[in-house]
Structures are given as C-alpha cells and as structure tokens.
Amino acid sequence: MSKNDGKATQGKRQSAHLPRKRFYRARAHSNPLSDSHFPIPISPADVDYSSHYPHFLHSSKNDPDEDDLLPKIRFADIGCGFGGLLVKLSPLFPDTLMIGMELRDKVSEYVKERILALRASNPGQYENISVVRTNSMKYLPNYFCKGQLSKIFFLFPDPHFKEKNHRRRVISLQLLDEYAYVLEVGGIIYTITDVEELGDWMKFCLNSHPLFSAILEEEIEADPVVKLLASATEEGQKVARNGGQTFYAVFRRIAPEDPII
Amino acid sequence: MEEEVHTGEINREAEVAPALIAVHPLERSIALALGYELRVFDFEMDCAVPLTDEAYSPCHSDAIRAICFGANGRLFVSAGDDKLVKIWRTDTWHCIRTVCSDKRVSAVAISHDGLFVTFADKFGVVWIERLEEDDQGQASVDKKAVPLLGHYCSIITCLKFSPDGKFIATADRDFKIRITIFPKGPLKGSHEIQNFCLGHTDFVSCLTFICPLDCHQSFLLSGSGDATVRLWDHVSGQLLDTCDVGEKAGLLDSKEKVEDSLAVTDINALPDGSFVAAAIQGLHGVMILKCDVPARRLFIAKFVFVEECFVPTSLGLSSSAKLLWVVMGASNVSKLGVSKMAQLRVLSDLDKFLSNEHGDYPVILKDKDMPGGEKLLLQFQGSDHVTKQDAALAATATAVKVAMQNLLTKKQYSLEKRDFRKRDRNDRKFKKQQF
Ligand SMILES: C[S@@+](CC[C@H](N)C(=O)[O-])C[C@H]1O[C@@H](n2cnc3c(N)ncnc32)[C@H](O)[C@@H]1O
C-alpha cells in the first residue's frame, strides 16, 4: 500500500466519528517513577492478542494448537502519544502487528478510539495496530519476549532536563539493556527529538552501548520509516509548524562481540 | 548532610528490620545481623568473635539489610540502611574495605571467584566493585563502585550469582526476576540480559540456585509474596513448576492458625535440590519442599512446626552438617522496650529426613545441643531471658511481621497522603534553607 492510501483515509476520518483530541485533554507530563494502577500482563504469553488484533486472530483460529503460528507484535512505539506514527505505519506494513505504549490514561484511550474509528470507516484496514496503557520503563519485558521486536520507536520523548531527573529519561544506558533484549539481532531502534541536549544524550547512550551500532547514513536515507520520524506524529508536526530543528539517532541491535555461552 | 542524619534517626526509631542469618560455607562460623549490629560466632574456636573495623565504630550505624559469605568462605559482606558496604575477612573478622553507596543498600553478593562485590541500592541499580588482590588486612581507602545493571525504579530484594558464575540473578518488588550474563569485564556493566523469569504475581523476596547431580545445568528457585515457590530454567526463562505453599498451609489449620499473608520470605536449598526450606510469613515453622528436576516437579514434603508465635525471618543451611539454622528477630521491638530481639532454633538430622528414616525428622534441637550451645545463644540472643516468655515472643512476632511487610511491599499512599508527603518534603527543604 502506498502513502497516498494513508492520506485518503485520513481525509475520510475527519468527517467520520474520529475522537476529538480536546475531549481527551490530559496532563502534559506523567511521572514514570510513580506506580499507577493499570493491568499488567504477567508475562508476554498473557498479552491478549484477541482483543488487540481480532482480525488477525480470526483468520487463523481454527486450530488452537497453531497458537505459536500466530504473528507476534513486531513494532513497538514507546510513548506513542496520540498515535500518529502507528496510523502512518499501518498501511506501510499491513501484515505486521504493531503496538503503541502510552503512560497517560486519557491519551491511550484516545488512541484506542482513534484506531477503532479508523477500522470502522476503513474495513479491513488498521487491524494491525493497537495501543496499551503502561509504563514502558517498567513493564516492557511483560509484553515482549527476547528478540521479539524488529523495530522500536522513541519519538519526541519527554526531555527531563534537570540532572537529577535524567533517570526518568526513557533512553538510558540501563534501559537500553532492556531494549536490546526485546529487539532481535538486526532490529532497529529509532529515536528523534527537537531538544538538542536530549538528542546528544540519546546518541551518547546508544554509542556507548555494546549491543547497538550506528547505521550508515546511506542506509538511513533509504529506510522509508525514517521519513516518518519527523512528520508522522502530533509532536513532530508541532515542531515542524514552529520551524524547530530535529535530531535523530537510528541504531541497529547487534550480537555481543564476545558471547560467553 | 544534616538531613541525612535526621532521616537516619527517624528510620531507626520507626523502622523495624528483620534479623538475618548466614552460615559459613564450610561451617566455620555463623553470622547474625540484628538492626545495626553484626554478631559472629566461630565454631572452631567455640567462641564469639569481635569484629574489627578501624574506620567506623560501630561498624554499621543503621539497620543491616543484607549479609552473605563468598562461595569459598574467605570473605563476608554486610550492608544496609547506612549506605555502607563492608567487606570482611573471615579469618580475622577484620573489615578490609568499606564501599560507600549513594542510596541505601537492599541486597549484596560476592562473585564466586571472590574478585567482585555487587550490591543493589534503593533505586534498583546494582553496583559492582573490584576487590584488589592486595587487600591484606589493611583497610583501604573508600572507593566508589560502578553501575552494573538496573531494574528501573524497583527495589531489588535479592541478588545471586549462578553456580557456574555465568549469570547474575536479581529479583525485585515488581514481580520480576532478571537473569543477566555476567561478563568477563563486568566493570563496563552487564548489558546482555539472558532472560526474565516472569510468573510471580507479587513481590519476589528470595532466590536460590540448585545444581541437581545428574543435570548438566543449574536451576533457579524463587519465593514470593504470592505464596508460591517456583522452579525455573533460568537459561531459557521457562517456568518449570509452581508450588503453592498457601494451598498446603490450608491443610495445616488443625495445628496452625493460618494468618492472612503467606508470603514466602526466605528460601534455602541443598545444592542438589533434594531439600528446600522456606520461611513463610504467616506460619510458625519451616516448610520443607523437595525438587525433582528431571520430572520438573517442586512439591511440599513436610511442615515443621517450631513454636506458637515463632515466625522465621531468615534461614541458614549447613550443607555438610545437615543442619538448618532458623532465626526470628527484629530490631526495635518497641512493645518490649528493647532495641532488638532474636530467637534461634536449629533443625537437625536433615539426612535422616532425606533418607526417609523412620521417625519424626528433622528434629528441633534443645538449646544445649546446638552447635555453640549456650555460648552462642548468649552471643546471639543476649542474656535476657525475657526472650523465653511467650509474651516476648508474641511481641517479637508482631514486630517481625511489620518489618517484613515494610521491607517487601510497597508503601501504598492515598492521593492526599502523596500530596502531603510532597509538601512535607518541600517544607523541610524550605525550613532548612532558612536556618
Ligand atoms: C512528548 S510525547 C511524544 C508523543 C509521540 N511520540 C509524538 O511524537 O507525538 C511523550 C509521550 O511519552 C509518554 N510517556 C512518558 N513516559 C512514558 C513511559 N514510561 N511509558 C509510556 N509512555 C510514556 C508521555 O505520556 C507522552 O505521551
């Protein structure tokens, strides 16, 4: 499917029953350190694919033993906000399951409604995207097994400027261990920000991590997904409207140099 | 700085810390941590040993939260709320190194080669420090450790190296167990996660590895607030079996009044897994489990009732002597007006129990029959024979319960309280600035 299809459906949704953002106004920032109350799957086996991707489940439901053959989630958009990236990626990779993870309750509710509305007005489409409300910094391993993901996105994450709040940043040397764990070898991590200091920080962390290596510039330019980083999401559009600069880092998950096992 | 001291004092007042016990791997000595005090008894010399620490007196100034011996028994480490990690030589009981942590310490471990000490802080970060070869009994300068790995903002309850030294296992209050590859050069951090062992539905309180004889690998056992002990293949992350101790506890009620929480608070196992002892919060004794790894089974073999009101806080297994040391204790037993109290029991004849010999095994030893006998008890329990009274035991039991609850479960604040806490903290900061 081409990008134009995406545009067409976007036009249609305006008139249809898409949820309006202003009814889902939320606090600007959430504190990822505090414990909130939302259900957490005990392990990736407990993630309820049937509620997220009913369409994919029904087409291969006949044999319960085929459970393992069901497609797994392959892309994760961390801190997906209002879900712009998922909506753009969906038609580009129609057979790939993707999930957005969002901490703010109202925002994740909005994304859920948005996806349902898109599915209703475009039968057969947008069946591969969904959203969960969760704290990705704490519960990523509850959703994904080792090496399950092929792409993970961090678009315009909260900057947490103060030094003492750096540990709240969604990219850190320690959290990269977990992102490396859920990504398959060869998988790609995409980050972008309009805050230069944060961009430097994310690049620094990725460069310092033994399981990630920078992707060549030519390769980045050839990746159709990279074009979406700055433009697909609500935050990206806001930055673009204000003429802001963006800083991206795209790295590949690599195998450890000296495996001991 | 002032604030640090201040909060430290408040903690000593209000927070009760459970007593901890550790047995030397070759059974040369035994250590008990009670509040900020560390007490050691040497079995070979048959006497209590004084600890020497040139730099600090007392050696710890706040509750000790974790103690352990290194695999070969040469070193011992203690750490806790005073943010100090102390490494001791066990031949002289001399403190050879004090490592300062920024935050309070919740778990410690020494790598099997004795080259590294690792500890977890209240932010869920595990730190590592290299122990120099030239630590010849001289206290060296205080150094700062480097970060090894992190559980994002979840307090780590337990930290263990796998028997082959390849992995480091960490458990937290968010139901998680993380298995990380311990690299050859760990000072650069352990970045490769082997797996997460997920299945517990409440905090994970304790971990222990077993190496069954006819298996080529080791396995992991974990105990949790969800009243289960679980058996894992930690290499694949697969849950092999779950033993619900709560279920069995229900059958005990003729003898035992089962209380609300059946959280597993400590587990100890013989290396081959033939004997697994579990301390369970609401039960007045020790639950004995057995592990049949080839059959992937973990099951309850017996419950050994110790005494009314006896709630074990920590277990110490002597593998060769076939003894299980069981301690119940807490610092700050305010009801009794004493600052700390510990009660020690020993289960013996584990071998007879294991070989299904006829009779009621294991046996609870009488005080005089314990290794170390009265001398050890005097050192560990104190001369106060109040400790023998039922009321004292009951008060300790209550304190222990509070201590374990505080340690393992998250504080639940209502929204108002949360706001209040925030305000409170700012107020204090504000006042401090004015002075
Ligand atoms: C500045 S917004 C960017 C949203 C979106 N990626 C975009 O580009 O429009 C950052 C988002 O991350 C979410 N977030 C922050 N910490 C999070 C966490 N620990 N887990 C999940 N979402 C988080 C915030 O709620 C917020 O919606």
Side-chain angles (χ1 to χ4, degrees), chain B residues 216-374:
Chain B
H216 302 294
Q217 66 164 107
S218 54
F219 295 85
L220 182 67
L221 291 166
S222 61
S224 152
D226 66 8
T228 66
V229 176
R230 294 181 198 238
L231 172 67
W232 309 88
D233 173 353
H234 57 277
V235 180
S236 69
Q238 211 188 344
L239 174 63
L240 301 181
D241 201 13
T242 299
C243 180
D244 188 340
V245 295
E247 220 163 70
K248 168 76 179 188
L251 304 175
L252 295 168
D253 51 15
S254 48
K255 213 174 181 182
E256 267 293 290
K257 208 177 97 236
V258 174
E259 291 164 35
D260 39 4
S261 162
L262 288 165
V264 178
T265 53
D266 197 10
I267 47 175
N268 260 232
L270 287 179
D272 67 359
S274 60
F275 178 92
V276 182
I280 296 160
Q281 208 168 42
L283 298 186
H284 303 147
V286 179
M287 190 75 89
I288 299 174
L289 291 75
K290 285 187 174 187
C291 193
D292 178 353
V293 175
R296 304 187 153 204
R297 277 212 338 118
L298 178 67
F299 53 93
I300 292 172
K302 187 172 187 168
F303 177 71
V304 182
F305 175 78
V306 172
E307 199 171 313
E308 211 53 65
C309 290
F310 192 96
V311 191
T313 49
S314 177
L315 305 172
L317 192 56
S318 294
S319 306
S320 55
K322 300 288 186 278
L323 295 177
L324 179 72
W325 296 81
V326 185
V327 70
M328 163 198 193
S331 58
N332 275 305
V333 190
S334 52
K335 258 199 192 155
L336 290 180
V338 292
S339 62
K340 39 192 154 312
M341 162 159 298
Q343 287 276 309
L344 208 59
R345 298 286 184 278
V346 178
L347 306 194
S348 80
D349 298 278
L350 306 186
D351 44 349
K352 291 187 182 144
F353 165 76
L354 287 170
S355 56
N356 293 317
E357 212 162 295
H358 195 72
D360 198 10
Y361 297 110
V363 173
I364 302 172
L365 289 183
K366 296 214 170 61
D367 287 359
K368 64 173 172 39
D369 298 330
M370 280 188 187
E374 296 281 350

Side-chain angles (χ1 to χ4, degrees), chain A residues 258-261, chain B residues 109-119 126-131 146-149 159-162 164-170 178-195 234:
Chain A
D258 179 23
I260 64 161
I261 297 173
Chain B
I110 298 171
S111 66
H112 293 325
D113 54 15
L115 290 180
F116 299 97
V117 62
T118 56
F119 60 93
V126 177
W127 301 80
I128 186 162
E129 166 85 357
R130 198 186 158 85
L131 301 171
V146 294
L148 182 71
L149 61 97
L159 181 65
K160 289 272 160 79
F161 283 93
S162 64
D164 56 12
K166 281 183 185 164
F167 301 106
I168 183 162
T170 40
R178 169 173 159 168
I179 309 295
T180 313
I181 293 177
F182 189 69
K184 288 197 188 99
L187 295 181
K188 282 192 230 138
S190 287
H191 297 289
E192 199 182 348
I193 299 172
Q194 176 67 20
N195 256 308
H234 57 277

Side-chain angles (χ1 to χ4, degrees), chain A residues 33 137-138 141 146 167 177, chain B residues 152-153 174 176 191 194:
Chain A
L33 305 186
M137 291 155 93
K138 289 187 99 150
K146 188 177 192 172
R167 68 194 190 96
D177 295 354
Chain B
Y152 189 79
C153 291
D174 271 313
K176 248 194 225 122
H191 297 289
Q194 176 67 20

Side-chain angles (χ1 to χ4, degrees), chain A residues 32 79-81 102-104 134-137 155-156 158 233 235:
Chain A
C80 67
E102 174 52 53
L103 185 58
R104 287 180 293 172
T134 198
N135 185 342
S136 69
M137 291 155 93
L155 273 44
F156 302 96
D158 296 330
T233 65
E235 199 61 32

Side-chain angles (χ1 to χ4, degrees), chain A residues 31-211:
Chain A
N31 180 354
L33 305 186
S34 70
D35 281 304
S36 315
H37 298 276
F38 42 79
I40 302 153
I42 291 168
S43 74
D46 294 307
V47 176
D48 183 10
Y49 276 64
S50 64
S51 70
H52 286 294
Y53 311 101
H55 184 81
F56 277 76
L57 213 66
H58 286 147
S59 51
S60 54
K61 211 184 173 177
N62 310 334
D63 189 356
D65 288 341
E66 276 179 29
D67 236 35
D68 291 341
L69 299 177
L70 286 179
K72 291 229 167 118
I73 297 169
R74 300 279 284 155
F75 295 178
D77 182 9
I78 310 299
C80 67
F82 294 98
L85 179 70
L86 292 167
V87 171
K88 283 276 161 55
L89 283 174
S90 172
L92 283 183
F93 302 88
D95 299 323
T96 304
L97 299 189
M98 319 174 189
I99 200 146
M101 298 186 132
E102 174 52 53
L103 185 58
R104 287 180 293 172
D105 190 21
K106 288 197 176 140
V107 177
S108 68
E109 277 306 308
Y110 169 87
V111 179
K112 199 186 281 171
E113 293 301 321
R114 180 176 183 183
I115 293 169
L116 288 177
L118 284 170
R119 285 179 186 174
S121 49
N122 303 277
Q125 291 182 53
Y126 301 102
E127 295 290 344
N128 60 335
I129 56 175
S130 191
V131 67
V132 283
R133 181 195 175 197
T134 198
N135 185 342
S136 69
M137 291 155 93
K138 289 187 99 150
Y139 303 115
L140 213 56
N142 295 66
Y143 284 89
F144 312 115
C145 317
K146 188 177 192 172
Q148 178 178 334
L149 299 180
S150 61
K151 293 186 193 298
I152 192 166
F153 298 91
F154 298 86
L155 273 44
F156 302 96
D158 296 330
H160 297 294
F161 288 107
K162 284 185 228 151
E163 166 99 39
K164 79 170 172 66
N165 286 341
H166 282 183
R167 68 194 190 96
R168 295 186 188 182
R169 284 181 170 170
V170 72
I171 299 281
S172 69
L173 212 48
Q174 278 159 24
L175 282 168
L176 282 177
D177 295 354
E178 288 192 16
Y179 306 150
Y181 167 79
V182 296
L183 274 175
E184 64 187 3
V185 170
I188 298 176
I189 180 170
Y190 298 86
T191 73
I192 190 166
T193 176
D194 58 323
V195 179
E196 185 165 13
E197 181 204 328
L198 181 65
D200 289 345
W201 164 270
M202 294 197 288
K203 233 181 219 148
F204 165 77
C205 291
L206 282 160
N207 269 321
S208 315
H209 201 283
L211 298 179

